[in-house]
Amino acid sequence: MTTEQVQIEYTEILSDDWYVLKKTTFKQRRIDGSWQTLTRETYDRGNGATILLFNVERGTVVLTRQFRYPTFVNGNDEGRLIETAAGLLDSARPAERIRQEVEEETGYSLNNVEPVFEAYMSPGSVTERLYFFVASYEESDRISSGGGNYEEGEDIEVLELKFPRAMSMIRSGEICDGKTIMLLQYAALNIFHTTPLKMSIAGDL
């Protein structure tokens, strides 16, 4: 791949087990017009989607809790993380995939999901683009207990929380997943119309 700003010189696959880890040497045109040769590693796990379920009348949201090994080895003592339902696209369209994923994880079957934004979550090393969605839900939409895919090692607990409680869990550190914080903040501004969590530069978390 070559553009006016980037020229790929060499790519080496370091690992192709769970996902693909590559080491690439390339030239990048700097702001002053000069070229600089750099080497970077990129982890390609595909693109993904995530969704926040909400019920305005009840003032609730649906989240999940599951074991995340990378967090366990980096300070999360139990390794269980509270999150919005999410999954990789696996070549499916984002809206289609998130409907399948939310049913598998939470048991809720939803037809109308609303895209709200897209984001690169760790652009320094991970190629993934994440598609963010929201959807209203009713208790009648729940057709199973959820829990995730056993064969993939998923053991998911479904949480229905009052929205103010979910927001307070960001401040307390009980919710520390980036995509979940982003969607809860979006909901505060655009769905529940409350004041979003204010974080000081010093870090209220």
Side-chain angles (χ1 to χ4, degrees), residues 170-171 185 196-205:
I170 300 175
R171 186 176 296 276
Q185 293 278 6
L197 179 67
K198 294 181 179 179
M199 301 181 187
S200 69
I201 295 177
D204 291 334
L205 297 183

Side-chain angles (χ1 to χ4, degrees), residues 89-148:
L89 299 185
D90 294 329
S91 300
R93 296 171 63 88
E96 173 189 352
R97 185 68 188 99
I98 200 58
R99 284 195 296 267
Q100 297 169 348
E101 193 68 29
V102 76
E103 182 175 329
E104 183 178 280
E105 292 193 4
T106 70
Y108 285 90
S109 179
L110 304 171
N111 292 319
N112 297 319
V113 298
E114 178 185 351
V116 289
F117 51 84
E118 304 170 14
Y120 292 98
M121 298 301 292
S122 187
S125 59
V126 181
T127 62
E128 180 184 32
R129 175 187 293 179
L130 198 58
Y131 297 82
F132 289 75
F133 293 84
V134 294
S136 62
Y137 75 94
E138 302 290 342
E139 188 57 35
S140 59
D141 294 325
R142 197 170 191 189
I143 61 174
S144 75
S145 59

Side-chain angles (χ1 to χ4, degrees), residues 1 9 13 30-31 39 41 48 50 52 79 95 98 109 112 122-123 125-126 135 139 151 158 161 168 175 194:
M1 179 185 299
E9 295 192 332
I13 295 178
R30 296 178 61 85
I31 296 174
T39 299
E41 292 182 5
T50 187
L52 178 68
I98 200 58
S109 179
N112 297 319
S122 187
S125 59
V126 181
E139 188 57 35
E151 285 72 23
V158 182
L161 302 173
S168 72
I175 293 178
T194 61

Side-chain angles (χ1 to χ4, degrees), residues 65-69 71-73 75-81:
R65 178 159 47 201
Q66 62 180 306
F67 181 75
R68 295 295 199 184
Y69 179 75
T71 75
F72 176 72
V73 299
N76 185 7
D77 291 342
E78 295 184 357
R80 297 186 71 81
L81 208 64

